[in-house]
Amino acid sequence: MAARRKLMVAAIFLLSLHGAILFAGFVAPQDPAVQNRDFPFVPPTRLHFVDAGGRIHLRPFVYPWVARRDGLYQYEESREHEYPLHLFVPGPRYLIAGCLAAHTHLFGVEWPAQLFLAGTDNYGRDQFSRILFGGQISLAAGLLATAISLFFGLFMGCVSGFYGKWMDESAMRLAELFLVLPWLYLLLAVRSFLPLHVSSTQTFLLLVAVIGTVGWARPARLIRGVVLSTKSRKYVLASRGFGASNAYILRRHVLPHTYGILLTQAALLVPQYVIAEVTLSFFGLGLSEPMPSWGSLLASLQQYNVLVSYWWMFAPAIALVLVTIGYLSVANAFEQQLQSDSI
């Protein structure tokens, strides 16, 4: 029961993160591409419940930032007027599922106040909105690459474990080769050979294909072990004795035993592949401006003045840590659930 509860809590936490990222247009208060050149490197907007006169407000409100005259990128709050936070407000246009236009946002404030929950970058773009939209790119890369790895791993593991002999030897030697490859340096080498003039969409698909192809070996070895154990069970031998075909035995008796391995590996591989995409984009070998991803957002930290002066530029790293913890918690809870069910 404890393992099931832990799995449920971890799954709800992870689904909440994915929901916020999936509906980034609705959750984000601003358009991530809009530049506010008058507000570069603005600190995160502070939410207040007590105004300058000491009165308590039940609804949170903000004060607008204004530039100070005594320094570059120095701001202070203008406390002449409070701007309360409203829910379900009209705002910039965005697309739902890439096709349905909408203008309603989860929260926002009235103009001239602006809501920068995670501050702004050097172009005055809202970091919080860019983190949400960038998460769509980074998570999509991790999920698609994981699907590719698990597809190849399932195929190679089933073929190797079920048919054995020379197929098993060839597949496992190839898997060992992929296991010892330094995947990060391999990704950097492959990306460096790609032409620089490819579009953002082509770059994204090529990165996903390369990342997913590199990581199939470990799932394949685990699935091979499950298949070897399953194919020797009595009900499988009885099914074969009644004339069942190999395809029927694989589909009916063998593949259902691999689902637990596939789900656990998926929860472990997604954060690894998200980090791989973030790493490539951070070094300028993945997606680049103006398309946001967590790696391209963190790339500004390569500038020393940004690294030491504007702490809110680390916010994409916090989102990456939360997603990684969520997936690892789900993998750990699911593994405990499988162990408790097998006892």
Side-chain angles (χ1 to χ4, degrees):
M1 185 63 69
R4 189 181 301 274
R5 188 183 303 110
K6 184 178 179 181
L7 177 60
M8 185 176 299
V9 171
I12 292 174
F13 172 73
L14 194 59
L15 288 175
S16 300
L17 289 175
H18 281 70
I21 293 173
L22 180 62
F23 297 101
F26 173 68
V27 178
Q30 300 192 37
D31 188 332
V34 171
Q35 300 180 6
N36 301 280
R37 291 303 183 98
D38 294 332
F39 296 100
F41 292 123
V42 169
T45 302
R46 302 167 186 169
L47 297 178
H48 297 272
F49 288 91
V50 181
D51 61 21
R55 295 185 300 271
I56 298 176
H57 296 248
L58 296 179
R59 182 191 298 271
F61 64 90
V62 303
Y63 290 115
W65 289 109
V66 293
R68 294 169 54 181
R69 298 179 180 271
D70 56 349
L72 184 63
Y73 303 148
Q74 299 294 322
Y75 303 92
E76 61 183 0
E77 292 181 329
S78 175
R79 303 209 167 195
E80 297 178 356
H81 184 69
E82 299 87 19
Y83 295 88
L85 189 70
H86 297 284
L87 297 177
F88 306 109
V89 298
R93 177 180 178 272
Y94 60 91
L95 296 178
I96 301 175
C99 57
L100 299 176
H103 295 272
T104 302
H105 293 255
L106 179 60
F107 54 85
V109 295
E110 297 178 355
W111 192 87
Q114 299 192 63
L115 194 62
F116 303 125
L117 292 181
T120 65
D121 62 6
N122 56 329
Y123 294 107
R125 296 174 296 189
D126 179 37
Q127 276 284 95
F128 180 73
S129 300
R130 289 178 62 78
I131 289 171
L132 291 176
F133 280 91
Q136 292 182 342
I137 302 297
S138 297
L139 281 179
L143 292 170
L144 291 176
T146 298
I148 294 174
S149 288
L150 293 182
F151 173 78
F152 284 114
L154 180 64
F155 176 79
M156 297 296 288
C158 286
V159 169
S160 175
F162 192 79
Y163 293 100
K165 299 181 181 179
W166 66 269
M167 290 187 178
D168 187 21
E169 288 292 328
S170 302
M172 289 302 100
R173 299 295 81 77
L174 184 63
E176 290 173 358
L177 175 63
F178 272 83
L179 283 175
V180 299
L181 286 176
W183 64 269
L184 178 59
Y185 297 107
L186 178 64
L187 290 175
L188 294 174
V190 171
R191 180 62 185 92
S192 64
F193 281 106
L194 296 176
L196 297 177
H197 62 273
V198 295
S199 66
S200 297
T201 303
Q202 291 175 326
T203 302
F204 174 76
L205 294 177
L206 287 171
L207 286 178
V208 168
V210 172
I211 294 172
T213 305
V214 168
W216 64 270
R218 189 174 301 277
R221 289 173 63 90
L222 294 173
I223 292 171
R224 170 183 175 269
V226 173
V227 173
L228 284 173
S229 174
T230 304
K231 75 172 187 179
S232 61
R233 296 187 179 183
K234 294 182 179 180
Y235 59 86
V236 176
L237 298 177
S239 180
R240 189 184 299 277
F242 282 109
S245 64
N246 289 336
Y248 176 85
I249 294 174
L250 277 170
R251 176 176 57 85
R252 188 65 181 271
H253 300 301
V254 176
L255 286 179
H257 289 273
T258 65
Y259 295 159
I261 294 293
L262 290 175
L263 291 175
T264 304
Q265 285 297 298
L268 292 173
L269 289 176
V270 170
Q272 293 181 22
Y273 292 158
V274 170
I275 293 174
E277 187 278 327
V278 169
T279 302
L280 291 176
S281 297
F282 178 81
F283 289 114
L285 298 176
L287 296 175
S288 57
E289 295 288 353
M291 183 175 291
S293 75
W294 288 344
S296 61
L297 294 179
L298 290 170
S300 61
L301 295 175
Q302 298 180 47
Q303 304 174 31
Y304 179 75
N305 65 316
V306 177
L307 182 67
V308 300
S309 302
Y310 311 114
W311 57 267
W312 56 89
M313 300 301 291
F314 286 91
I318 297 176
L320 178 61
V321 169
L322 290 176
V323 169
T324 302
I325 291 176
Y327 271 103
L328 294 181
S329 299
V330 168
N332 184 40
F334 188 74
E335 187 175 359
Q336 292 180 2
Q337 179 66 35
L338 290 178
Q339 292 176 355
S340 63
D341 291 342
S342 61
I343 296 177

